[in-house]
Structure formats: C-alpha cells, structure tokens
Amino acid sequence: MGEDLDKLKIQVNNLNLWYSSFQALKDVNASFKERLITAIIGPSGCGKTTLLRVFNRMNDLVEGVRVAGTVMVDGINVIAPDTDLMTLRRKIGMVFQRPNPFPLSTYENVVFGPRIHGRAGKNELDDIAEKSLQAVLLWDELKDRLDKPALSLSLEQQQRLCIARLIAVRSDILLLDEPCSALDPQATQAIEELMRGLKNNYTLIVVTHNMQQAARVSDETGFMLLGELIEFGETDQIFTRPRDKRTEDYITGRFG
Amino acid sequence: MRRLKEFVLQKIVLLCGVASILFVALIFLFLVKEGLNVFKAVSPSHFLLGRSWYPISEPAQFGILPLILGSLLVTAGATVISVAIGVACAVYIAEVARPAVRETLKVGIELLAAIPSIVLGFIGMVTLVPWVKKIFHLPTGLTALSGSIMLAFMAMPTIVSIAEDALHAVPRSYKEGAYALGATRWQTIHRVILRAASPGIAAAVMLGIGRVIGETMAVMMITGNAAVIPHGILQPVRTLTATIAGEMGEAAVGSEHYYALFAIGTLLFVISFGINVTADLLLHKRRS
Ligand SMILES: Nc1ncnc2c1ncn2[C@@H]1O[C@H](COP(=O)(O)OP(=O)(O)OP(=O)(O)O)[C@@H](O)[C@H]1O
Ligand SMILES: [Mg+2]
C-alpha cells in the first residue's frame, strides 16, 4: 500500500465556474491524492461547496451554471458532457452539512443506493446493510432497530447513516461538506475518528469552517478565498509555515 | 365611545363564530330528528341493507343499498381516475415542468375549478355520454363510469393544488441526497419525494373526494338514475344525492318517504364529515 499512497485520484486543471454571470471558481488547480483526507478551508462564500459539487456534478441541478476546465477522476474528465451522472455519483458520494437521511427506515436508507442501482436480492441487501453499518460503527447500536424511522436517530447517528449509504453503493471518493457543523463537540470528535478510519479505503475531501478540525484530521489542505485556491499543500506546512500572506491571515484568525 | 365600539365589534365577531357552529349543530339535529322517524316504518338494517328502493309503491320499500352502492361505485371510480391523473399532474407541476409551463398549468387548473358543476355535467352529457356509449358498445352511455369521469374532473383541481403544495414542502435535502446517490429523476420522485409527501397527498385526495361526494345535479344528469344494485361500472346507477334531489319535491311533508330522504341526508352528512375530519388530521400530522 505504501506506493499507492501517492496516487493522484482527482486532478483539477484550470477550473472556472460561473453562476450565470457571477464567477464562483477562478482558475483552480489542485490534485487530490488517493486514500488521504484533504481539507478545504476558507471564509464563507469563497466557493468551497461549489468546488465540491463540481466533482459529483451536483451543480448541474442549478440553473445557469457554466463550467470550464477539466476535472480528471481516475483519468476520466467528469466535466465532459457525456459523463454518466448516475455512475459518477455512485463512485463519488456526498455527505451534506445537515444529515439528510430519507424519511424511511434505517434499513431502507442504507439499501436505497443498492436498490436503485438494481441489486434486489434480500440476502444480498441484508449483507450490504450489515457491512455498511459496521463500517460506520452503527451496526451494534442499531442492529435490532433497523426498521425504526431514520429520522428518529440522533444527529450523529443520522450523519453516520448518511455515510453508510455511500459505503453501500461502494463509493470510493467521499465528499463531506461541513459534516460536523450540525453536531455537538462529542459527536464531532466521533465523526472525525470515523473519517480517520475510513481513510484506509476511501479518498476523503472535507470542507470545513473549523480550522482545528482541518488540522486534526487532514493530510493535505487547500485554502480558498473569493473563488481562488490560494494555497494547497501538506496540512502541517499550511498551518505552520503558510507561504501566502492571505493564508497566514486566515489561519491566525485575522479575517474569516 | 371607542371602547364601546370595540366591545360591540368583538361581540359581533364572537356571535358570528358561535352562530356558524350553532348552525351546523342545528342542521345536524334537524336532519337526525327528521331522519330517525323513518325507523318507525323500517328497521335500520332493512333501511341500510334493503335491496329495493320503491318509495311510492304500495307497500313502499325503503332499502337504500342500491343507492349506497351507486354512490360508492361512482365515487370509487372518480377516486381512481382523479388520483391517477391528479397526482401525476401535481408531480409534473411540482417536479418536472419548467417555470413558464408550471404557471400556465396552475392557471388552467384554477380555471377548471371555476367551471360551475352543472356546466360540466351538461358538457358531459352531450360529449362524454355518447363517447362512453360508443367505446363500450352500450345501450346507453348514462353509466356510473360517466359519472366517475365527471366527478374526477371536479375533484382534480383540489387534488392537484393540495398535492402540489405537499410535494413542494418536501425538503430539498431529500432530493439532493437521492441525486447524490446516483438516483435518476424518476427514482427520486417515486422513491423519495412521493413517499415524503404521502400524508399530504392522502389529504389532498380526501379533500378532493369530500368535495365531490355531495355533488348532485351533474351526477344525476349523466349516471342514468336507475335505483338498482349495479353489477359493474358500465351500468346506470343512482346516487344518494341524486335520490334526494330528484324526490324531495314530490315527497309529502311528514310522509315515510320524506323521512327516508332525511335519513339519507344524515348518512351523507356523516360520510362527508368523516372524510373531512380524516383529511384534516392527515394535514395536521404533516405540519407537526
Ligand atoms: N445557486 C447559486 N446561484 C448563484 N450564486 C451562488 C449559488 N450558490 C452559491 N453561489 C455563490 O457562489 C459563491 C460560493 O458559494 P459556496 O456555497 O460555494 O461558498 P462556501 O465556501 O461553501 O460558503 P459557506 O462556507 O458559507 O458554505 C457565493 O458567493 C455564493 O453566493
Ligand atoms: Mg458551503
């Protein structure tokens, strides 16, 4: 696995994005390595969410979006118009700021993805549900209550469940958009731990407002400002020896 | 002076509020009081389950089962048709249509609601009835099916607009969650959005049906008005409402026939009330 660690999973080249006439991403270049956690930090409105949503093409849902540049995921340009979005989104899963389980049972939430992708055997689904919930450390807690509505779970459990949904469709890249901002400190810590554990098998990109969190969990960090990626590098370096004055100002709390 | 005015106004408003409840209560009491008299002539089980309705022959028979079945058949048919079309239409408006199309459709639906029911009935009589006759090779097009289609049109505006509200109220995050898992638009609609909106949609259907179950004239015009137990949707039927409308004029005040019509009225009142209360409960469940 040693040499695998440096394989590039996502390569972003000259990425520009406009919401109608407003340019939200400006010439972004970055590489995301396989099986690492990369954090994206920056003040509110700088385009973190927008960048994340380029990777799984969720921006397509917004009217008037225009994208230029390339985003290579495993060597394939996902910006290309002929990209199969169903397959892409299955490969690149997304966790949202507020946990958003469907108003269905816990079990149905986990097997939602496999079901829509055509896997229907009861045994197979049971198996997927068990493995996925185990991966997010929910199985022992919930194995006797799989038919309870997912919305009755605690927020932390809901967020874990949302991650389990992605594991169930065998995503290999996980995009997490401020996954802990709705959680209390204890739950935040638990999710961070989970993220560290998932790193062995998945490539994680996490957007966060919380610089301590970025410093704690990530291997690499990108700092964005007004649509530009100002600095990108190893987390240690970004937080201890930032090259750009603006990065330094941000991480020392001079604005944000 | 000012305070006096306030006081008087306040009391008037209170009075209006109390009066409206009082009127409903009085109407119900009156219906029940008159209706119960019929049971001097016929037992409740014969009344509800009797298979013949011959109110003016000698001896008169007051079995309303054919009428109940007629109403049920027409309403059930209307429910199936209006739910299928109405929910599909609501989904189209809420989830698929472009904004311009959406606005046009909403106006169209509102216009449909504005057509007086008698006009619909009369258009149905000259267009729908001949079609039904021709398509199914029937001796007459005046059938339960014609009535169902007609009522479905009347229930549709209510169903579409309330169901559309319910679909609109489904949190965006559910939709995004489904898309982000690679679901297609159709999968998202039927596996997530429709399920999340189902209590509201059920309420929409109940309110739509509640609105048309008391519908009378249009139904009377096109269902053939035969008080016999129907064996299918392609036969003429007579509904509870049509019976009252058609016979009240000729029933002598205080006669058994007159009381029987009141008893039918009471039954209708109870059914509508039940449907509306259920719809209300469903809507409240959605809000809380
Ligand atoms: N659908 C949209 N239409 C138009 N402008 C948008 C849209 N979504 C985002 N924007 C704008 O694009 C910019 C970047 O937004 P984005 O949500 O990516 O920021 P962010 O860094 O995630 O902010 P936050 O930390 O508040 O989540 C903002 O100025 C925002 O106003
Ligand atoms: Mg954001």
Side-chain angles (χ1 to χ4, degrees), chain B residues 42-78:
Chain B
V42 46
S43 76
S45 66
H46 273 106
F47 179 68
L48 289 173
L49 301 176
R51 302 173 137 257
S52 4
W53 174 258
Y54 296 124
I56 42 182
S57 51
E58 267 312 320
Q61 296 196 47
F62 296 108
I64 63 168
L65 189 62
L67 311 179
I68 293 180
L69 290 179
S71 277
L72 269 182
L73 195 59
V74 173
T75 313

Side-chain angles (χ1 to χ4, degrees), chain A residues 181-200:
Chain A
S181 64
L183 307 180
D184 61 40
Q186 219 171 350
T188 299
Q189 205 185 354
I191 297 284
E192 284 177 10
E193 217 153 285
L194 175 62
M195 283 162 49
R196 264 184 234 115
L198 290 171
K199 194 168 85 169
N200 293 325

Side-chain angles (χ1 to χ4, degrees), chain A residues 19 22 24 42-51 62 97 177-178 209:
Chain A
Y19 289 116
F22 173 74
S44 193
C46 68
K48 306 180 295 292
T49 299
T50 305
L51 177 62
V62 180
Q97 192 162 353
D177 192 356
E178 304 190 34
H209 257 135

Side-chain angles (χ1 to χ4, degrees), chain A residues 19-64:
Chain A
Y19 289 116
S20 303
S21 59
F22 173 74
Q23 184 165 11
L25 294 178
K26 298 173 188 158
D27 254 327
V28 174
N29 288 284
S31 302
F32 298 84
K33 298 197 181 102
E34 186 165 50
R35 300 209 180 107
L36 287 189
I37 300 180
T38 305
I40 299 174
I41 59 171
S44 193
C46 68
K48 306 180 295 292
T49 299
T50 305
L51 177 62
L52 217 53
R53 285 170 168 252
V54 169
F55 300 153
N56 64 348
R57 296 273 299 267
M58 285 295 277
N59 286 323
D60 286 23
L61 299 179
V62 180
E63 207 136 322

Side-chain angles (χ1 to χ4, degrees), chain B residues 33-44 256 259:
Chain B
K33 179 180 133 309
E34 299 287 272
L36 283 180
N37 283 323
V38 79
F39 298 128
K40 288 175 190 158
V42 46
S43 76
E256 283 169 1
Y259 291 134

Side-chain angles (χ1 to χ4, degrees), chain B residues 19 24 63 81 107-108 115 119 149 190 198 206 209 244-245 287-288:
Chain B
V24 175
I81 298 169
V107 172
I115 301 175
V119 173
I149 297 175
H190 103 109
S198 58
M206 304 286 277
I209 297 307
I244 301 180
R287 281 198 198 103
S288 60

